[in-house]
Amino acid sequence: MDNIILIVVAAVVGLAIGFAIAKMMEKGKASKTIANAKKEAANIIKEANKEGESIKKDKIFQAKEKFLELKAEHEKVIINKDKKIAEAEKRTRDKESQVSSELAKNKKLNDQYQQKIKEVEYKSDILDKKQSEVDKLHKSQVQQLEVISGLSAEDAKAQLLESLKETAKSDAMAYLQNTLEEAKLTAQQEARKIVVNTIQRIGTEEAVENCVSVFNLESDDVKGRIIGREGRNIRAIEAATGVEIIVDDTPEAIILSCFDSVRREVARLSLHRLVTDGRIHPARIEEVVKKTEKQINEEIAEIGKRTVIDLGIHGLHPELIKAVGRMKYRSSYGQNLLQHSREVAKLCGVMAAELGLNPKLAKRAGLLHDIGKVPMAEVEVETPHAILGMQWAQKFGEKDEVCNAIGAHHDEIEMTTLLSPIVQVCDAISGARPGARRQVLDSYIQRLKDLEDIAFGFNGVQKAYAIQAGRELRVIVESEKVNDDKAAELSFEISQKIQTDMTYPGQVKVTVIRETRSVNVAK
């Protein structure tokens, strides 16, 4: 029992001693750790101080550089401001010197002006005195003449005026007679020259319109679809377009008949759309016709704009531009109205330039001379187209010269300007030009044949061709029968024959061609 107690006591004592030793060892280690931590802290503080000093020096250096930079910029701004101030001062000094010189100059001019006024006043006084003296002398001379002649001044003046009047009247009559004779001799020649030059400088294409259009079909099966059940489709098309549709035995074609080219074109385009689309029934027909009419109206406006731009005409009223566009779908004696009006405008421009008038105004009158043929309403059809066109031109603000030229080109009103006869002549030229209108075409072709027949009436002529619309006859002769001298003689004889036997406008140039060919064959 005692041993156990001793062991327990020994164990307790041992634990106490071990605990004390452990505490002492831990205390020594802790002191050592604290010492190391203090040393490291001192090192960190030292490094931080060094780094802070370095950063401080850098910041101070950067601050100095920024200060120097700002100082330099500030000095530069100050220099620029000083420079501008100096320039402004210089300009001010220059202006002051200029103003001073102007003031001095004005003062000098004012002094000269005052001096001139004094001189003029002095001269005016002298002139007044001299005028009074001259009046006195004239009065005394008139009195002396009245005494000598036995007539008063008024009677003498009346006799003198009467004698001068008779002399002037006789001289004027003689001059007028001479002028009229000279004008009669030269006017017709000059007029012919201007007309011929104008015709030769203008050319145009011909277009013949009629009242019927042929609409081609891919097959005859389409005809039945166009006619529709009991003819309802064809009636709907006729009602919507105002065009008569003729369906006969003609294979793969139907005929559109209408005097109005616009309505005929609307019907043709509408049928093309319907056939292409394949849906043909009354509701669809009305829809397509409305769209086509809108398209045609836009096209008419565009045609009018292009026409006035091509002719160099500006400031035309939009309604007149539309009327010009509608001319494309009108014809006069088979001649397309728009083409005819364009041609008349060009002819008027050329002729006005030849006569020294305003060519642009002449073109304007020539283009608009037939706008009365495209009436905007059916009630206007009863009015002559020249008068109707003049009324439109007046309504839409055209000049009086243009309005008179439009209204007078068929002599329905009196011509008051020089443009009126020019438009009338150019209208006649365009209508009478060979091939322009149906009734002129046959006579034109016959004239060309007669021209060639005259050449064939001479010996040695092999071929003859009338070219340049009958203004040139080209004759090819046989080289064996006609020599060079004979060719020149033949050209003269043919031209004389044409001049005596034919009636033609302008001139006909006769060209005789003699050609020699030698042909061999190598075998």
Side-chain angles (χ1 to χ4, degrees):
M1 187 66 179
D2 293 330
N3 290 332
I4 295 170
I5 294 171
L6 288 172
I7 292 169
V8 172
V9 170
V12 171
V13 172
L15 287 173
I17 294 171
F19 180 76
I21 293 170
K23 283 288 184 179
M24 292 177 65
M25 289 178 66
E26 185 179 355
K27 185 176 181 182
K29 189 183 290 186
S31 61
K32 188 177 180 181
T33 301
I34 291 170
N36 290 332
K38 288 181 178 180
K39 187 175 180 181
E40 289 178 2
N43 290 332
I44 291 171
I45 292 171
K46 186 177 181 182
E47 291 295 329
N49 290 331
K50 289 181 180 181
E51 187 175 355
E53 289 294 329
S54 177
I55 293 171
K56 182 179 178 182
K57 290 179 180 179
D58 290 340
K59 293 297 182 181
I60 292 171
F61 181 73
Q62 291 177 2
K64 288 181 179 180
E65 286 184 346
K66 187 67 175 178
F67 174 74
L68 293 175
E69 183 179 351
L70 293 173
K71 183 179 179 182
E73 290 180 357
H74 183 65
E75 290 176 351
K76 187 176 180 180
V77 171
I78 291 173
I79 291 171
N80 289 333
K81 287 184 177 180
D82 292 341
K83 186 177 179 181
K84 289 181 180 179
I85 292 170
E87 291 176 354
E89 290 176 351
K90 185 176 180 300
R91 288 196 298 271
T92 303
R93 287 194 298 271
D94 293 341
K95 287 183 179 180
E96 288 177 353
S97 62
Q98 185 177 359
V99 169
S100 300
S101 62
E102 290 291 336
L103 288 174
K105 186 177 179 180
N106 289 335
K107 185 177 180 182
K108 184 178 179 181
L109 290 174
N110 189 37
D111 294 340
Q112 293 176 356
Y113 176 70
Q114 295 295 333
Q115 184 65 27
K116 291 288 184 183
I117 289 175
K118 291 179 181 179
E119 292 177 1
V120 169
E121 290 176 351
Y122 176 71
K123 289 180 179 180
S124 178
D125 294 337
I126 294 175
L127 286 175
D128 290 340
K129 292 178 181 179
K130 288 184 177 181
Q131 184 65 37
S132 62
E133 293 176 359
V134 168
D135 291 340
K136 291 178 181 179
L137 288 173
H138 179 265
K139 188 175 181 180
S140 63
Q141 288 177 356
V142 170
Q143 291 175 353
Q144 291 176 4
L145 287 173
E146 289 177 352
V147 171
I148 295 170
S149 63
L151 295 174
S152 65
E154 293 297 329
D155 295 337
K157 187 187 296 183
Q159 290 183 5
L160 179 62
L161 287 175
E162 190 65 28
S163 63
L164 290 175
K165 188 184 296 183
E166 292 295 330
T167 304
K169 186 176 181 180
S170 60
D171 292 343
M173 290 298 293
Y175 177 77
L176 181 61
Q177 188 67 27
N178 294 333
T179 304
L180 287 175
E181 292 296 330
E182 184 179 356
K184 288 179 181 179
L185 292 173
T186 59
Q188 188 173 3
Q189 182 179 357
E190 289 297 323
R192 187 183 293 113
K193 179 180 176 182
I194 291 173
V195 171
V196 170
N197 288 338
T198 304
I199 294 174
Q200 290 178 348
R201 289 170 60 182
I202 297 294
T204 184
E205 299 177 355
E206 292 81 28
V208 178
E209 298 286 343
N210 51 35
C211 293
V212 174
S213 296
V214 178
F215 183 74
N216 296 315
L217 304 172
E218 295 180 357
S219 65
D220 287 336
D221 296 337
V222 183
K223 285 186 180 180
R225 294 166 56 195
I226 292 175
I227 295 172
R229 183 181 300 174
E230 298 178 356
R232 63 174 187 173
N233 289 344
I234 198 170
R235 286 197 300 271
I237 295 172
E238 290 179 346
T241 60
V243 174
E244 181 183 2
I245 300 178
I246 302 172
V247 181
D248 53 15
D249 296 335
T250 306
E252 298 180 356
I254 59 176
I255 298 173
L256 309 177
S257 176
C258 181
F259 73 93
D260 191 331
S261 302
V262 177
R263 296 195 331 230
R264 201 165 64 245
E265 183 68 10
V266 169
R268 189 187 68 80
L269 293 177
S270 300
L271 275 175
H272 178 72
R273 288 185 176 181
L274 290 168
V275 171
T276 304
D277 184 49
R279 294 177 294 166
I280 306 177
H281 53 82
R284 176 65 177 164
I285 288 169
E286 292 180 1
E287 178 185 353
V288 170
V289 169
K290 288 181 180 179
K291 290 182 179 179
T292 307
E293 287 177 347
K294 183 179 179 182
Q295 176 187 344
I296 290 293
N297 290 332
E298 293 175 354
E299 183 180 349
I300 286 172
E302 185 62 28
I303 290 169
K305 290 178 183 177
R306 287 202 304 268
T307 300
V308 297
I309 290 172
D310 291 343
L311 294 175
I313 297 172
H314 304 286
L316 203 63
H317 194 278
E319 291 299 328
L320 293 180
I321 292 177
K322 290 180 182 178
V324 171
R326 284 198 298 274
M327 289 182 183
K328 179 183 177 183
Y329 300 99
R330 296 289 188 277
S331 61
S332 178
Y333 300 100
Q335 185 180 23
N336 183 268
L337 192 57
L338 178 60
Q339 199 68 23
H340 166 66
S341 298
R342 288 172 63 98
E343 186 178 33
V344 172
K346 292 179 181 178
L347 288 167
C348 290
V350 174
M351 193 171 288
E354 292 286 340
L355 294 172
L357 301 176
N358 187 346
K360 291 187 177 181
L361 202 62
K363 281 185 180 181
R364 198 182 193 97
L367 178 65
L368 299 177
H369 81 284
D370 267 349
I371 57 171
K373 290 185 177 180
V374 284
M376 299 180 185
E378 294 298 330
V379 294
E380 297 175 340
V381 176
E382 298 177 358
T383 307
H385 75 273
I387 303 299
L388 183 58
M390 180 185 69
Q391 291 172 357
W392 287 356
Q394 291 172 344
K395 178 181 178 182
F396 297 120
E398 290 298 317
K399 293 184 178 179
D400 294 337
E401 298 95 322
V402 176
C403 296
N404 182 257
I406 295 171
H409 78 276
H410 284 315
D411 293 323
E412 288 167 333
I413 63 172
E414 183 182 357
M415 296 183 181
T416 59
T417 66
L418 288 176
L419 281 183
S420 301
I422 290 177
V423 172
Q424 186 181 50
V425 170
C426 293
D427 180 42
I429 291 172
S430 176
R433 178 177 44 73
R437 295 184 175 180
R438 289 196 187 101
Q439 66 268 35
V440 184
L441 182 60
D442 294 337
S443 61
Y444 163 67
I445 294 173
Q446 186 61 42
R447 182 168 66 83
L448 296 187
K449 289 180 179 178
D450 294 341
L451 201 60
E452 294 177 352
D453 291 340
I454 287 176
F456 282 119
F458 291 85
N459 293 327
V461 175
Q462 184 179 7
K463 297 177 182 178
Y465 301 107
I467 60 176
Q468 295 292 327
R471 291 195 297 274
E472 181 178 353
L473 178 64
R474 192 160 294 180
V475 181
I476 302 173
V477 298
E478 299 178 15
S479 59
E480 297 84 3
K481 296 182 180 180
V482 180
N483 56 25
D484 290 340
D485 296 334
K486 182 64 176 177
E489 183 181 348
L490 183 63
S491 175
F492 176 76
E493 291 176 354
I494 293 174
S495 64
Q496 292 299 310
K497 182 73 171 175
I498 293 171
Q499 188 171 339
T500 55
D501 293 356
M502 293 188 65
T503 302
Y504 52 90
Q507 300 174 349
V508 178
K509 178 182 178 183
V510 179
T511 304
V512 176
I513 301 173
R514 179 179 179 272
E515 184 180 41
T516 302
R517 294 188 184 183
S518 298
V519 181
N520 289 292
V521 180
K523 297 182 181 179

